Amino acid sequence: MSKKHQGRTRAQESSSAIERMYITMRHLFNRGFYKPMGVSGETLREALLLLRPEIYGSIAEEKAELNGLLYVIDRLPIGIEECRFINLTSDEGYGKSHFEVIIPPKRRRNCYRIDEEQMNIEITRGRSEIYDILTHLTFLFIESHKISKRVLINEKGDTTRDWVKLEKAVLSTKKLTQNEREIAITHTANILGRTFEELTHTYHLFATKKQPERLLQIVYWLGKLAIEEVINNTKRTVTFSPVLRERLGHHIHGEIWANNIKEALKKNNLLDRPIHVISANLHSVMNTLHTPKALKTEASKKDIFQVYEALSQNNSEALRSKVRQEASKYGMIFIKDTSGTNIDVQIFDTAKINLDSLDLKINKDNLKSKKPVIFVMDYAFGEQAFETIDEFLKPYENGDNKTHMNVESISIMGKAGILEGGKGDIMIPSAHIFEGTADNYPFTNELCKEDVEGQGVNVYEGAMITVLGTSLQNKEILKFFHDSTWDVIGLEMEGAHYQKAIQSAARIRKSINPNVKVRYAYYASDNPLETGSTLASGGLGTSGVRPTYLITRKILEQIFNS
């Protein structure tokens, strides 16, 4: 009995630590600046160390956390470890300057290296993006101080031999030989409290074409700036620009984005037709509709899911290009984002699609008479889901004229963490619950377990948690979600935000049909309850292909047969 109480206490502690982090981040944002390793950043650091999120592994231990470091570095701009000043800005015109735009490999955001000491990061996706960046920076700076603790010998700034050797390797202008690299890895392993084998194993994951020795550079610069903070008290600083503070929460980017799309629909005479919104990646709907005709030869020889898998390979640009050309020829309109939301869009006019080439179970006569328009938007990020859908579902305004769009359905397909099962399994939610509150959004999901069962993928049905940030979850919280009467099957970042916008448009504002159909389905990117199965342990690879297309095909069949 006491053991159960203990477990709950740890989950409660973690829950209040997350809450404290969000309140602190809002406070720091309103203040305009803070020093992550100073007094102002103390609450954030303490809460993160208390939480010990799964994604950051051994953050609270003395040894460095390699998987967490890779996860964070992939989501921050290249070179950020060298910068003492990190400035979060709105879209303030840097795109028109001579500064080179830096886009992190795993997050679509524009960043600019202003000079040797300063990095500007453009925030156009709302509060969730600020939380994401501040959490990652807090982790990075905690790790940097672990390095300085291990290499500083005294208060004068004398350092260990390992540090001197690492510095020599990093500042060398010559290309390292294999022997020199292994010597440098040996010293770095000592500095990080990790084995030579562990470092050799992850070394290539950090490397880029321009910087093959990038792991050494990251460790060196993180350590160097932390040493300067300790010895000279030159603290790293995060600032929020006045324009960002003024604009945040005003839906500025979402409104421009939604208006651009409505203008495109109007221009192509599609505004009065039945519209079906799908939030998903920008390949699965296009590939499902156009692969059978564009890749007729491949589709006749292989199972269609094998063709989808071939399309997802890095070296299949020629195949993808064929499908894109076919789609453009038969009514696909691609809208590249210019609003700053980083959400590109595809519009499919089904009246122009060759229905005989489709390999879906559909009523073609019904499709011919209804002529639905399918509007696919790329993934939103956290709270941005509310901003974009909320703006899109408002009537189209042209002078004094208002046109209420005929939105028949909204389908959300995405990646999520699963709490039972593993990578590649499918989750069908029956409700979304906001983390840290009892706010809940039950809905009638047009998709159900039976729709995708028996196709070689495990399917789970139940409530899902919309979390404030995936990188803040730890085992205790997740166990509580899973084992309590909430009976949660998974966690993601956008579901409740989408549902909040849909419900207000359908039930309160009456800007769309009150009986709009909703579909939610997610495929598992990781199981954070299993050690070694968190997001930090790597991508889905091809295990995501089958669930993605099973969901896509079912969504399209329901749209075409409704």
Side-chain angles (χ1 to χ4, degrees):
M1 189 71 189
S2 63
K3 193 177 175 196
K4 189 176 181 189
H5 177 67
Q6 238 177 348
R8 271 301 304 279
T9 309
R10 173 78 180 123
Q12 286 167 329
E13 252 181 26
S14 304
S15 196
S16 64
I18 290 178
E19 210 171 322
R20 211 160 49 246
M21 284 193 79
Y22 282 94
I23 292 165
T24 306
M25 287 195 263
R26 283 198 171 202
H27 162 70
L28 295 172
F29 175 73
N30 290 333
R31 182 183 175 209
F33 76 98
Y34 81 106
K35 293 179 176 172
M37 298 313 287
V39 178
S40 50
E42 196 171 0
T43 313
L44 275 187
R45 297 196 308 272
E46 283 176 357
L48 201 61
L49 289 168
L50 172 69
L51 257 178
R52 299 195 297 280
E54 292 306 300
I55 227 155
Y56 298 145
S58 53
I59 184 171
E61 296 170 31
E62 276 186 28
K63 62 182 179 184
E65 167 52 41
L66 292 174
N67 283 340
L69 182 62
L70 180 64
Y71 180 84
V72 165
I73 282 291
D74 274 349
R75 283 154 181 80
L76 291 171
I78 285 179
I80 195 154
E81 68 279 359
E82 300 173 20
C83 297
R84 257 187 63 208
F85 301 98
I86 294 157
N87 192 14
L88 272 52
T89 72
S90 181
D91 177 0
E92 297 175 25
Y94 291 104
K96 298 184 181 86
S97 68
H98 71 280
F99 296 116
E100 183 195 346
V101 62
I102 306 167
I103 299 169
K106 299 281 176 74
R107 281 277 190 271
R108 289 168 302 181
R109 54 172 70 116
N110 296 338
C111 310
Y112 303 92
R113 182 79 178 262
I114 304 302
D115 55 35
E116 282 179 13
E117 291 190 306
Q118 183 180 335
M119 181 72 77
N120 280 15
I121 302 176
E122 225 168 65
I123 305 290
T124 55
R125 310 179 78 176
R127 281 194 189 91
S128 298
E129 190 166 23
I130 294 176
Y131 300 154
D132 188 59
I133 291 166
L134 295 191
T135 313
H136 291 340
L137 289 176
T138 305
F139 164 81
L140 208 58
F141 295 162
I142 289 171
E143 289 295 312
S144 75
H145 273 247
K146 283 189 199 172
I147 296 168
S148 72
K149 265 189 194 140
R150 292 185 80 96
V151 301
L152 275 174
I153 297 169
N154 56 33
E155 288 171 10
K156 284 189 268 175
D158 294 330
T159 53
T160 61
R161 179 173 174 269
D162 288 317
W163 183 255
V164 175
K165 295 287 184 185
L166 171 63
E167 186 167 48
K168 190 182 169 192
V170 168
L171 299 181
S172 162
T173 49
K174 287 188 290 186
K175 193 180 173 195
L176 296 185
T177 63
Q178 182 63 21
N179 188 36
E180 287 166 337
R181 182 177 298 115
E182 288 186 355
I183 291 168
I185 289 174
T186 304
H187 293 299
T188 309
N190 272 345
I191 291 166
L192 298 179
R194 291 286 183 177
T195 65
F196 176 80
E197 189 181 8
E198 283 172 320
L199 235 64
T200 310
H201 177 66
T202 53
Y203 200 80
H204 71 280
L205 299 173
F206 284 87
T208 62
K209 275 184 185 170
K210 280 187 182 174
Q211 294 178 301
E213 323 298 341
R214 188 159 167 241
L215 178 57
L216 299 183
Q217 285 160 325
I218 289 167
V219 172
Y220 170 70
W221 281 101
L222 283 179
K224 181 177 163 63
L225 294 189
I227 290 167
E228 285 173 11
E229 282 189 331
V230 173
I231 302 299
N232 308 325
N233 205 25
T234 49
K235 295 265 192 279
R236 285 168 282 195
T237 308
V238 174
T239 51
F240 306 93
S241 81
V243 180
L244 174 66
R245 287 158 68 203
E246 187 187 300
R247 285 181 180 173
L248 195 76
H250 289 205
H251 288 202
I252 287 168
H253 302 287
E255 189 179 356
I256 298 166
W257 175 84
N259 288 340
N260 288 346
I261 294 152
K262 289 173 203 171
E263 291 292 343
L265 288 167
K266 175 90 174 118
K267 186 180 151 196
N268 291 280
N269 299 318
L270 302 173
L271 208 55
D272 302 323
R273 300 253 295 274
I275 294 170
H276 297 266
V277 179
I278 303 177
S279 167
N281 55 67
L282 288 188
H283 54 258
S284 59
V285 173
M286 177 178 73
N287 290 347
T288 304
L289 292 174
H290 296 285
T291 294
K293 189 158 183 283
L295 305 177
K296 214 178 225 170
T297 318
E298 289 83 351
S300 64
K301 291 180 192 165
K302 294 177 182 170
D303 171 66
I304 193 67
F305 285 93
Q306 289 176 312
V307 182
Y308 296 148
E309 206 161 296
L311 279 165
S312 73
Q313 305 289 347
N314 289 337
N315 57 0
S316 299
E317 190 43 49
L319 290 180
R320 288 194 289 274
S321 180
K322 272 188 189 176
V323 179
R324 271 197 303 273
Q325 283 169 3
E326 180 76 14
S328 302
K329 193 173 159 190
Y330 292 99
M332 181 183 85
I333 302 157
F334 176 70
I335 304 173
K336 179 88 184 140
D337 178 63
T338 53
S339 70
T341 58
N342 278 313
I343 299 176
D344 294 336
V345 160
Q346 294 163 331
I347 297 168
F348 296 91
D349 179 356
T350 60
K352 295 182 178 173
I353 291 174
N354 178 351
L355 302 181
D356 295 326
S357 68
L358 294 177
D359 64 344
L360 300 166
K361 297 171 190 157
I362 53 172
N363 177 345
K364 288 175 185 170
D365 294 333
N366 182 34
L367 197 54
K368 276 178 190 164
S369 62
K370 281 200 161 184
K371 297 180 187 169
V373 172
I374 297 169
F375 157 61
V376 181
M377 60 183 278
D378 208 344
Y379 299 122
F381 187 69
E383 283 186 25
Q384 190 192 31
F386 176 77
E387 178 179 334
T388 46
I389 288 287
D390 185 55
E391 290 297 330
F392 180 73
L393 297 180
K394 288 177 181 173
Y396 169 71
E397 293 187 22
N398 189 1
D400 293 336
N401 298 331
K402 278 188 181 182
T403 307
H404 284 70
M405 292 182 295
N406 178 13
V407 178
E408 288 200 351
S409 77
I410 299 168
S411 306
I412 313 294
M413 175 179 89
K415 279 190 292 196
I418 195 167
L419 299 181
E420 48 183 296
K423 277 188 184 185
D425 290 349
I426 290 176
M427 289 159 276
I428 309 282
S430 53
H432 287 293
I433 304 155
F434 256 135
E435 178 181 42
T437 69
D439 295 0
N440 53 80
Y441 297 85
F443 48 84
T444 303
N445 195 342
E446 294 294 314
L447 292 169
C448 63
K449 197 175 177 180
E450 288 70 38
D451 289 332
V452 281
E453 238 177 358
Q455 310 263 359
V457 174
N458 294 329
V459 188
Y460 299 89
E461 209 163 15
M464 288 184 73
I465 288 266
T466 296
V467 296
L468 295 156
T470 47
S471 56
L472 288 182
Q473 309 310 306
N474 67 20
K475 272 204 171 72
E476 285 77 17
I477 292 183
L478 299 173
K479 273 203 179 87
F480 170 67
F481 288 158
H482 185 249
D483 299 343
S484 73
T485 51
W486 287 110
D487 197 22
V488 171
I489 56 166
L491 60 145
E492 48 74 58
M493 276 183 70
E494 291 81 29
H497 297 294
Y498 279 125
Q499 191 56 26
K500 190 166 64 162
I502 296 164
Q503 275 179 208
S504 65
R507 308 279 172 85
I508 301 165
R509 292 178 168 176
K510 305 283 195 289
S511 55
I512 59 167
N513 178 355
N515 300 317
V516 63
K517 290 178 175 173
V518 292
R519 300 179 191 90
Y520 287 89
Y522 299 91
Y523 55 94
S525 54
D526 62 306
N527 182 336
L529 281 176
E530 286 177 12
T531 306
S533 294
T534 68
L535 282 169
S537 66
L540 266 163
T542 54
S543 64
V545 173
R546 191 168 191 86
T548 300
Y549 284 94
L550 279 174
I551 296 166
T552 306
R553 289 170 72 89
K554 187 44 71 178
I555 288 172
L556 288 173
E557 283 175 0
Q558 286 196 0
I559 288 172
F560 292 159
N561 292 322
S562 61

